[in-house]
């Protein structure tokens, strides 16, 4: 993500404000809802388990937990997790914590500068030391022709036994990332750039075939919900074709929670989010709004457990919110 923020060359994490100030800003934000809003910590800017960052991660989690909050919390890492770290995580009493271990299996350090062995070892540490904390094998980015070989599929299958679930996803092939890879001497991974993640249909089919006996998900929130035995907080059940690989018990949970919201309720939330409340369309799949930001849409989506899309960027049937590259 640092490519997109134009600060990829910033290799040393910088503390912006104290942990207590960060927590106060979070829970006081207009879009935050106690026990509802999903939280991610140090996801876009750095890795939460890096030296110098890890202490702030653990302190932030403790501060949120001490407030009695039960929000889902996602911690995403490709770095080293030690048994002592897990012991700290296991002390949490309220937060619904999930640690997602990013693994790609890519051995070209121009593309993947972090050795995937770190992720593999972290999966083992979590598997051997957790009771309350949930873990996910976060298989990303999957790139056709690069890390979808039979060898990669077999390795992912073995690693999936160390986690409660597996999530697979493609590559954000944005112009900034393509340019960075070109400067590093990497031939174009895909001929196109795209607003959404690229994951060709053929690659998806091979992944699903290889891990057909494991709990595997296209969407992160679906896997998190499965592990915590709740309905998906993003309401993907409305986009029913996403659910065709989910365990039956999870589909049943999401079906029970799926309720088409009243227009008046959506308008009320749109006004809080400062969205145009006069151009809203609702059907059995999604709420559609216009001229919206991701933050505005997610506020409504998480409040209602119902998908919210922008009119300018419709989600096409069967694409699972992905780019058109590699699909017919």
């Amino acid at each position: 993500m640092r490519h997109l923020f134009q600060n990829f060359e910033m290799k040393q994490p910088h503390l912006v404000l104290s942990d207590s100030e960060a927590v106060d800003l979070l829970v006081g934000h207009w879009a935050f809802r106690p026990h509802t809003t999903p939280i991610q910590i140090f996801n876009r800017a750095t890795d939460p388990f890096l030296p110098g960052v890890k202490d702030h991660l653990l302190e932030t989690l403790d501060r949120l937990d001490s407030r009695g909050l039960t929000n889902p919390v996602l911690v995403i890492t490709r770095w080293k997790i030690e048994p002592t770290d897990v012991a700290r995580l296991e002390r949490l009493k309220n937060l619904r914590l999930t640690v997602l271990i990013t693994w790609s299996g890519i051995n070209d350090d121009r593309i993947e500068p972090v050795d995937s062995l770190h992720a593999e070892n972290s999966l083992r540490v979590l598997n051997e030391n957790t009771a309350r904390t949930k873990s996910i094998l976060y298989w990303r980015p999957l790139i056709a022709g690069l890390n979808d070989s039979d060898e990669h599929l077999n390795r992912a299958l073995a690693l999936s036994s160390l986690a409660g679930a597996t999530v697979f996803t493609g590559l954000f092939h944005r112009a900034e990332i393509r340019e960075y890879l070109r400067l590093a001497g990497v031939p174009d991974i895909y001929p196109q750039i795209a607003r959404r993640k690229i994951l060709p249909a053929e690659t998806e089919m091979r992944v699903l075939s290889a891990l057909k006996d494991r709990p595997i998900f296209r969407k992160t929130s679906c896997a998190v919900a499965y592990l915590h035995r709740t309905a998906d907080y993003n309401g993907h059940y409305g986009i029913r074709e996403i659910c065709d690989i989910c365990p039956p018990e999870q589909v049943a949970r999401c079906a029970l929670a799926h309720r088409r919201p009243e227009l008046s309720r959506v308008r009320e939330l749109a006004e809080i989010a400062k969205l145009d409340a006069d151009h809203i369309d609702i059907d059995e799949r999604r709420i559609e709004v216009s001229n919206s930001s991701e933050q505005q849409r997610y506020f409504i989506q998480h409040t209602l457990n119902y998908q919210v899309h922008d009119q300018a960027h419709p989600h096409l049937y069967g694409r699972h919110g992905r780019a058109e590259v590699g699909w017919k």
Side-chain angles (χ1 to χ4, degrees):
M1 293 302 297
R2 286 185 294 141
H3 292 93
L4 307 185
F5 296 136
Q6 304 297 323
N7 70 335
F8 186 76
E9 297 306 318
M10 184 189 292
K11 302 300 184 183
Q12 183 68 33
H14 291 261
L15 185 65
V16 177
L17 69 171
S18 71
D19 303 320
S20 61
E21 289 173 311
V23 170
D24 288 342
L25 281 173
L26 171 65
V27 300
H29 192 278
W30 68 264
F32 181 79
R33 293 294 181 269
H35 317 299
T36 298
T37 306
I39 302 167
Q40 294 184 24
I41 300 178
F42 302 139
N43 178 29
R44 286 186 165 187
T46 184
D47 189 291
F49 280 93
L50 284 175
V53 178
K54 179 168 61 177
D55 289 344
H56 296 284
L57 165 72
L58 298 172
E59 175 67 17
T60 301
L61 290 171
D62 284 343
R63 286 179 175 274
L64 290 167
D65 193 69
S66 69
R67 294 180 180 231
L69 296 170
T70 60
N71 299 61
V73 177
L74 283 64
V75 175
I76 305 171
T77 182
R78 63 186 70 210
W79 197 240
K80 305 169 187 176
I81 298 179
E82 306 293 344
T84 52
D85 302 329
V86 180
R88 281 285 303 274
L89 299 177
E90 286 287 288
R91 282 166 30 188
L92 300 173
K93 294 182 175 17
N94 301 301
L95 297 173
R96 286 174 282 162
L97 178 65
T98 308
V99 181
L100 296 97
I101 304 298
T102 297
W103 177 87
S104 67
I106 298 172
N107 57 15
D108 186 337
D109 60 12
R110 296 174 302 171
I111 302 170
E112 176 60 276
V114 180
D115 194 328
S116 288
L117 285 176
H118 296 322
E120 296 181 15
N121 289 331
S122 292
L123 280 168
R124 292 189 188 93
V125 169
L126 285 165
N127 182 60
E128 293 169 1
N129 294 281
T130 56
R132 185 181 184 278
T133 307
K134 310 302 182 187
S135 64
I136 287 175
L137 168 61
Y138 210 8
W139 189 2
R140 65 172 190 167
L142 255 169
I143 301 172
L146 185 62
N147 63 337
D148 63 344
S149 67
D150 290 343
E151 181 181 353
H152 286 99
L153 295 174
N154 290 333
R155 188 64 191 147
L157 176 61
L159 292 172
S160 69
S161 66
L162 299 175
T166 298
V167 175
F168 67 103
T169 188
L171 174 72
F172 269 130
H173 198 227
R174 302 283 181 86
E176 298 91 339
I177 293 174
R178 181 176 66 177
E179 182 61 22
Y180 170 81
L181 292 173
R182 283 176 173 177
L183 291 173
V186 179
D188 285 355
I189 290 174
Y190 292 109
Q192 307 95 325
I193 58 174
R195 176 181 174 271
R196 293 182 172 132
K197 290 179 182 177
I198 298 176
L199 185 63
E202 182 180 354
T203 300
E204 171 171 297
M205 285 188 350
R206 297 186 68 241
V207 167
L208 295 179
S209 176
L211 275 75
K212 62 181 182 299
D213 298 322
R214 305 286 193 195
I216 185 168
F217 300 85
R218 296 182 175 100
K219 299 295 183 180
T220 304
S221 60
C222 299
V224 170
Y226 167 73
L227 292 178
H228 291 275
R229 300 184 179 183
T230 63
D232 170 32
Y233 52 78
N234 274 319
H236 285 112
Y237 182 80
I239 316 299
R240 200 66 48 80
E241 63 269 23
I242 291 176
C243 310
D244 62 354
I245 63 174
C246 295
E249 63 270 28
Q250 184 57 36
V251 175
R253 289 186 196 110
C254 293
L256 283 173
H258 187 70
R259 296 287 182 275
R260 177 173 171 168
E262 296 292 332
L263 178 59
S264 59
R265 176 60 173 151
V266 178
R267 281 180 170 162
E268 175 187 324
L269 294 171
E271 288 175 0
I272 294 173
K274 297 186 175 2
L275 265 175
D276 182 357
D278 294 325
H279 295 86
I280 296 172
D281 182 67
I282 307 172
D283 62 21
E284 295 302 322
R285 290 169 64 84
R286 88 293 179 262
I287 300 163
E288 189 175 81
V289 296
S290 59
N291 300 315
S292 66
S293 68
E294 186 178 77
Q295 187 179 76
Q296 291 169 315
R297 292 194 302 277
Y298 279 4
F299 165 67
I300 300 173
Q301 185 165 290
H302 296 149
T303 303
L304 299 176
N305 284 57
Y306 212 86
Q307 281 279 289
V308 181
H309 302 164
D310 192 283
Q311 187 179 39
H313 304 289
H315 288 229
L316 300 182
Y317 184 88
R319 298 300 188 268
H320 317 308
R322 301 189 188 128
E324 284 291 281
V325 180
W327 294 80
K328 294 181 181 178

